[in-house]
Amino acid sequence: TPTTGPTGEPCLAAYLTTPPGTDLDGSDVKRWLRERMPDHMVPAAVMVVDRLPFTPNGKLDHRALPAPRFAVKEQGRPPRTPEETALCELFGEVLNTGRPVTLDDDFFDLGGHSLLAARLTHRANHTLGSRLTIRDVFQAPTVADLTARITAGQGAGARPGPVFTAGSGRPARVPLSGAQRRLWLQASVDGPGTAYNVPLCVRLEGAVDQEALRAAVRDVVRRHEVLRTVIAQEEGDAEPWQRVLDADEPDALAFEVTASSEERIEEDLRAAAAHVFELTRRPPLRVTLFELAAGERYVLSLVLHHIATDGQSVRPLFDDLTEAYRARRAGGVPAWRPLPAQYADWAHWQRHTLAESGALEDDLAYWKEALAGLPEELGLQLDRPRPARAGHLGGAVPVEFGRDLMDGVRELARRERCTPFMVLHAALVATLTRLGAGTDLPVGSPVAGRSAEELRGLVGFFVNTLVLRVDASGDPSFRELLGRVRGTDLDAFAHQDAPFDRVLEAVNPVRSLARHPLFQVCLALEDGTDCAVELPGTARTYARVVDTPTAKYDWEFLLRDDPAAGLAGAVLYSAEIYEPATARRMVRAFRTVLEHVLADPDGALSTVDVCDAEERVRVVERWNDTAAPPEQRSVHAVFAAQAARTPDATAIIHGDHHLTYHHLDTHANQLAHHLTATGTRRGDVIGVLLERGTHLATALLATLKAGAAYAVLDPDFPDERLTTTTTDAHITTVITTTQHHHRLPHHLTTHTLDT
């Protein structure tokens, strides 16, 4: 029955009776319902009563039901068993709650999202020997419910996570990871380029010990093997492999110091970002220290190739650099705790231990079915024809949607038991649908691929790409669409171990050098926490990505949940096929759709407007402001005036025949006089049986000049239909040619226009 929750929000309460002697409470029923029903249908309170009250008419008496009792999370139950205690501790550690977690605390109410859910399941499986998946966390988000799943032996869909020992069992030739292999093949097809460069920079205010910084960078390169790895493929090799250079080799580090200025620094940073890596000869890292003012202002540029890094690598990269610089500046060496594994160990586990065990077969089978019959390309209209080969020239439009909009996204996600990413994904699907992209919408999205604790402090390319295919057909409400997105995303997350290159091989879509395979729109949501950098002797500052004019996809929505700015980021677009104005309109449409669906999630997609208020006024009112006073003149009078103004201008072209306004008006006048002289009166209907050409125009204009109406008779009509039409329209006169004269009834008056 509908009711009101403890904070005033509408919700459902359930009442039930049980047979005598049944030991069942509301939490048991609620858990059972959550496993079988959509989250928005799960009651917020379940009440077990002795009997249900009925009215004298035999209907349920809602007013006589006892008031529902809601669980108060602030007074949640403490853990009682070792499993519950361990899971509460894992909740607190993964979510960094800063307080004890109770059995009734909800993972997502505490700030959880899909990446943290993956981390939680990995740690729980390692600690408790369970087989939980991300879907289990979404379906049973409290400690109590998740413990019940572990106790019942549910969650058997998870596979054992990786167990790493640095260098242990690693072959002499470590293959590329799936993600690396895909970029390597892409680079082989595209040729040298900068589309997959990751240019980072950080401004340093204060004294910088340049030699200590150089040594610190070498320390970081020594610590993270992937930063001194080149791609080797000798003649006869079936697959490329990773060759790790010695950290003390000259080629293992590219570090230079050069002068710049405040006026020139952005240009210099973009030039540094445009470095083309020779991945077979040089490591995927290039460091430049730009000196702006001697001894007091610098900008540190680190350009990495994506084959060696991802978004989650930035934090450990700068943390390790800071620690190494602190030690080198003091005359020592960094006292790091040894890394539990290197990137090559993970690549070996993924390509051999995971793949050869057959563990990916289920994942690949899922993707083959999920992506079968995928559209080759979205139906969005292009501003320019797509080039035969994508050049990756791009542009960017900033996203500044604010805190209120992000708060609304989080609140809707909380109510629908999903994540903010899923809300944004559904809003993007709605936007694309309303802009004409169709209803079968694949959107690419990166996943971190770092659920194992051993990987958190590593630099490397762990990210995988998922294809999230959503069906937006049937004009669903946004709430219904969000449910579809939630199901799609959870299924995809459950099969995220399959590398994108293996998925691409399994699905085997139509390939083209002009576009990205499987999807052309990408969506990513980051937590928005800035990477703070504070080298000893310099002021605290933040690392940032250098803006470069590149684009990997048609559209890339790079969003972040910024604690200060709210929903922010940028939308990158292919400048080869879209104009900047189109990109700005896309961003406005996305914001408009978000505002609409957050205000009315139950409205159908067909009611969602993609025009903001300013654009609606421009399109509907300004562009449509075409009102003009009507002319009280007939068509033939307007034509005669035009013929008088421009008598020698061409009025009709048909094949090789050209007719000026003067000649057309003269011929029409002559025919009109002939019609009136032979009995045509105002209001008569004259049939016109002529082929397309100058004679047809002359006949129509002459009929109007004679004050009659015309009925066009198609020469392709059968004779019987010509007779029927002339009879039904009360036609007594027909203008035709000798070619068709014999086809007409004998009682009709005919006028022929043969040359």
Side-chain angles (χ1 to χ4, degrees), residues 192-193 197-198 275-279 282-286 303-305:
N197 282 8
V198 181
H275 174 74
V276 177
F277 285 98
E278 297 178 83
L279 297 176
R282 296 286 187 271
L285 170 66
R286 186 177 183 85
V303 182
L304 300 97
H305 195 280

Side-chain angles (χ1 to χ4, degrees), residues 101-318:
V101 176
T102 71
L103 293 181
D104 302 304
D105 278 318
D106 186 290
F107 181 80
F108 298 101
D109 288 347
L110 294 176
H113 50 72
S114 56
L115 174 59
L116 294 178
R119 193 168 295 163
L120 174 68
T121 58
H122 176 80
R123 296 192 61 181
N125 293 340
H126 182 72
T127 303
L128 301 175
S130 57
R131 303 290 297 276
L132 296 174
T133 66
I134 294 178
R135 181 177 286 277
D136 293 312
V137 180
F138 276 85
Q139 293 178 339
T142 66
V143 174
D145 292 342
L146 209 52
T147 304
R149 289 201 165 209
I150 296 174
T151 304
Q154 294 177 295
R159 62 174 57 97
V163 177
F164 296 117
T165 303
S168 176
R170 186 198 302 179
R173 291 187 174 187
V174 179
L176 306 186
S177 69
Q180 286 183 317
R181 183 172 179 268
R182 174 167 56 88
L183 283 194
W184 172 253
L185 293 175
Q186 189 69 44
S188 301
V189 173
D190 293 344
T194 62
Y196 289 94
N197 282 8
V198 181
L200 305 170
C201 71
V202 58
R203 178 175 286 269
L204 304 174
E205 299 282 350
V208 173
D209 185 332
Q210 297 181 15
E211 290 307 312
L213 182 59
R214 183 189 299 270
V217 173
R218 189 174 293 278
D219 289 333
V220 173
V221 169
R222 179 177 289 106
R223 178 170 172 80
H224 297 277
E225 289 181 354
V226 72
L227 297 179
R228 49 188 168 94
T229 296
V230 297
I231 310 303
Q233 187 174 25
E234 299 174 1
E235 186 175 351
D237 288 344
E239 288 281 338
W241 49 282
Q242 302 184 48
R243 183 166 70 87
V244 181
L245 303 178
D246 186 274
D248 294 321
E249 289 185 34
D251 288 345
L253 177 64
F255 184 102
E256 64 175 327
V257 179
T258 186
S260 185
S261 64
E262 291 290 355
E263 296 76 21
R264 205 174 68 241
I265 184 58
E266 290 301 322
E267 180 181 348
D268 289 342
L269 287 172
R270 285 192 292 270
H275 174 74
V276 177
F277 285 98
E278 297 178 83
L279 297 176
T280 59
R281 300 179 58 242
R282 296 286 187 271
L285 170 66
R286 186 177 183 85
V287 181
T288 306
L289 181 65
F290 291 102
E291 188 173 13
L292 306 185
E296 57 184 60
R297 290 202 309 276
Y298 302 83
V299 173
L300 181 63
S301 163
L302 294 90
V303 182
L304 300 97
H305 195 280
H306 204 352
I307 207 166
T309 190
D310 56 20
Q312 298 290 320
S313 298
V314 177
R315 180 73 276 167
L317 176 66
F318 280 102

